[in-house]
Amino acid sequence: MANHGEKRWRLVLTASPLQGHMTPMLHLATFLHSKGFSITIAHSNLNPPDPSSHPGFTFVPLNDMSTVNTDFAGAGQFLKTLNDNCRPYFKEHLVDIMNAQKDAACEKETIVIIHDNLMSFAASVAGDLGLPAIILRTSSASTFPAMKIIPSLIQEGRFPVEDSMLQEIVQELHPLRYKDLPFINLPIQHALEVINMIIPKTPPVAILWNTLEFLEPSALAQIRDHYKVPIFTVGPLHKIIPAPSTSFYEEDTSCISWLDKQAPKSVIYVSLGSIAKVDDKVLTEMAWGLANSNQPFLWVVRPGSVKGFEWIEFLPEGLVHEMKLRGLIVKWAPQKEVLAHNAVGGFWSHCGWNSTLESMFEGVPMVCQPFELDQKINSRYLSCVWKMGLEIVVERKEIEGVIRRVLVGKEGEEMRQRGMEIKEKIRVAISHGGSSNNSLNEVVDFILSL
Ligand code: UDP
């Protein structure tokens, strides 16, 4: 389909080295490849994708020596280093392709850049070389109005706010409270730097957003009004097309046979994603809460995710023994498979956007423990708008109660019902004639029109 007569297309996709960004980008690449486009993946050499899983793609490593900074105060510096490091290699690669195409013997291809919004260097290189650039956004759309408003809140003296105001609703962003705003704990200058990087001044030719029309209509309307370029809602990308595993870590599949032995909807699955770090006191409260809830649990504790420790060696032996009686602790799980398992009745999550979409797709109610960025926004929407999540304070008694409310209480039953309604709407959206399915077909036509 991507060959119109003599014309051929090469899509250069620029993925960011974060799990929650790489996965949707590779799903998108797999879809576009299935439509006949040639695919190049330009990637940092930090957390590189595995070329053997995608034999049809060309991979271009961009020599980047940055390391993922999980301290949000350092997010601006991390993004700056990542972008500065990758830019020259990316430009050199594109110039090489373009020069080669001047050779009459070489096959001519129309080059289109599709980049992760954190990899903004790709847009500036595209601008330098006169190539069209499309952005893939992998966070919720509701993050956009919450970030866009921050510069004017700063001017009005409403950001950051006194602690006493944190629980108050930001009128323009109802139902978000000041405490739900991204970067509320960052110095103003840092917050503005990151916002400038994430919300580009020069609009791309189009934006693909890993969300669904019915989930975030008001945010999408604001985004369309702001950018005035086509906005394609293509989510959830992980369900659009099967793609090989893109996991940075080895998945412990033994948890699936453990789940097979548990009663339907009885297990709470706990995972805080691929980046978040907690301190040992928080993890200990989580452990006690899980142990005291008397419910079976599957808990992912990523090695290195507890500050100052390798794994869970600091938990008291008696507590670990107690926990093993009714739960399983693993280092990394095949999350999508876990959420699809009939034994799972709830997902205690940091509310990263991929985890949120994956849980929604399976209709699994959530316990929300957000850290930063869009996680706080997603958490608020899950509890107040989509009504399939409960926000949690990490304290053992509270945890114990919330787990029971989700797994065995009436509230949990209602959230599960709501989750099933959302699941059905997503199924319709990705089916033939549904909004996400149509959007993806429009993306193909749009690229062919460039
Ligand atoms: N994930 C996984 N196994 C785990 C924990 C997480 O496969 O044990 C995957 C999860 O399915 C999701 C991604 O890691 O696709 C996390 O992305 P998300 O946007 O939820 O959060 P982030 O890691 O970016 O904070």
Side-chain angles (χ1 to χ4, degrees):
M1 187 196 287
N3 304 327
H4 272 193
E6 290 300 292
K7 208 167 166 186
R8 295 179 59 82
W9 276 259
R10 172 153 303 272
L11 310 183
V12 181
L13 285 77
T14 314
S16 106
L18 305 176
Q19 182 75 71
H21 291 239
M22 181 68 78
T23 304
M25 185 62 92
L26 289 174
H27 275 277
L28 177 66
T30 306
F31 169 77
L32 293 170
H33 190 244
S34 76
K35 296 295 173 188
F37 293 106
S38 300
I39 301 291
T40 294
I41 305 284
H43 60 88
S44 156
N45 57 9
L46 169 70
N47 293 333
D50 176 6
S52 69
S53 300
H54 307 273
F57 301 175
T58 304
F59 286 84
V60 176
L62 307 171
N63 196 5
D64 166 32
M65 302 313 287
S66 53
T67 48
V68 175
N69 190 335
T70 54
D71 164 12
F72 285 103
Q77 190 51 49
F78 164 63
L79 290 178
K80 188 174 176 329
T81 312
L82 177 71
N83 277 277
D84 288 351
N85 288 355
C86 291
R87 192 181 199 286
Y89 296 95
F90 187 65
K91 186 163 187 178
E92 191 182 308
H93 174 71
L94 289 176
V95 169
D96 283 351
I97 302 185
M98 291 168 85
N99 283 340
Q101 292 206 7
K102 288 185 188 143
D103 179 343
C106 176
E107 200 169 24
K108 302 284 176 290
E109 291 178 320
T110 300
I111 301 170
V112 178
I113 311 295
I114 303 180
H115 68 96
D116 186 292
N117 73 301
L118 300 185
M119 308 295 264
S120 50
F121 69 87
S124 94
V125 171
D128 291 352
L129 301 177
L131 298 171
I134 297 173
I135 294 182
L136 172 64
R137 291 290 313 249
T138 57
S139 59
S140 55
S142 304
T143 320
F144 175 83
M147 282 200 190
K148 185 173 167 260
I149 202 175
I150 288 176
S152 45
L153 291 182
I154 292 173
Q155 274 188 349
E156 293 163 22
R158 291 198 283 152
F159 186 99
V161 287
E162 303 285 313
D163 283 359
S164 58
M165 292 259 301
L166 286 173
Q167 296 291 344
E168 275 186 31
I169 288 190
V170 185
Q171 289 310 327
E172 301 89 329
L173 299 172
H174 195 277
L176 298 185
R177 302 153 297 190
Y178 282 95
K179 65 181 265 195
D180 302 318
L181 291 177
F183 315 124
I184 194 85
N185 297 320
L186 283 192
I188 287 176
Q189 204 43 43
H190 285 197
L192 288 174
E193 275 167 20
V194 182
I195 290 168
N196 282 338
M197 224 176 287
I198 293 180
I199 301 187
K201 293 269 176 297
T202 318
V205 296
I207 305 180
L208 314 190
W209 217 296
N210 190 21
T211 187
L212 297 105
E213 288 293 328
F214 81 89
L215 271 185
E216 309 186 87
S218 151
L220 287 165
Q222 292 180 55
I223 290 164
R224 291 192 165 108
D225 186 51
H226 176 85
Y227 281 111
K228 307 210 171 12
V229 298
I231 307 291
F232 299 103
T233 47
V234 295
L237 279 167
H238 75 282
K239 278 291 158 191
I240 298 295
I241 191 158
S245 169
T246 53
S247 197
F248 294 163
Y249 308 96
E250 195 182 335
E251 293 171 341
D252 183 342
T253 50
S254 68
C255 59
I256 301 296
S257 38
W258 180 84
L259 284 172
D260 289 342
K261 297 187 201 105
Q262 310 303 319
K265 309 288 175 232
S266 67
V267 175
I268 181 95
Y269 167 60
V270 191
S271 163
L272 304 178
S274 64
I275 306 173
K277 284 201 172 196
V278 294
D279 65 35
D280 53 319
K281 286 199 187 64
V282 170
L283 201 96
T284 306
E285 285 304 298
M286 292 174 76
W288 276 114
L290 284 168
N292 294 343
S293 75
N294 271 326
Q295 293 295 322
F297 62 85
L298 170 60
W299 187 13
V300 177
V301 184
R302 227 176 55 245
S305 64
V306 183
K307 294 170 197 161
F309 295 90
E310 276 183 24
W311 198 42
I312 53 169
E313 62 276 16
F314 55 88
L315 289 178
E317 226 170 81
L319 172 58
V320 174
H321 175 75
E322 180 85 2
M323 295 188 82
K324 282 188 180 155
L325 297 178
R326 64 184 71 83
L328 192 64
I329 307 178
V330 298
K331 294 181 174 169
W332 191 252
Q335 179 164 303
K336 296 181 202 77
E337 221 181 313
V338 166
L339 288 169
H341 199 289
N342 190 37
V344 173
F347 179 16
W348 173 358
S349 166
H350 70 311
C351 304
W353 189 235
N354 291 282
S355 295
T356 302
L357 287 176
E358 289 161 15
S359 205
M360 281 179 164
F361 186 77
E362 301 301 342
V364 176
M366 294 174 77
V367 172
C368 307
Q369 183 189 345
F371 292 81
E372 243 300 345
L373 293 167
D374 66 333
Q375 298 158 17
K376 295 187 291 179
I377 297 165
N378 304 340
S379 165
R380 183 69 171 162
Y381 270 74
L382 278 161
S383 59
C384 290
V385 179
W386 302 318
K387 297 188 190 306
M388 56 172 290
L390 288 180
E391 290 176 316
I392 201 170
V393 173
V394 182
E395 185 276 323
R396 63 187 77 176
K397 274 265 162 258
E398 154 109 3
I399 294 169
E400 199 185 315
V402 169
I403 291 177
R404 288 219 208 89
R405 276 162 70 194
V406 170
L407 291 179
V408 292
K410 184 165 179 304
E411 232 175 332
E413 198 38 60
E414 284 166 6
M415 286 196 296
R416 193 156 299 115
Q417 183 57 38
R418 185 69 194 124
M420 294 318 279
E421 287 163 19
I422 291 178
K423 172 179 175 150
E424 176 55 19
K425 283 188 174 177
I426 298 181
R427 196 195 57 73
V428 170
I430 62 176
S431 305
H432 183 70
S435 60
S436 293
N437 190 291
N438 285 346
S439 261
L440 273 162
N441 291 329
E442 287 162 18
V443 168
V444 173
D445 291 340
F446 179 81
I447 295 172
L448 293 176
S449 74
L450 291 171

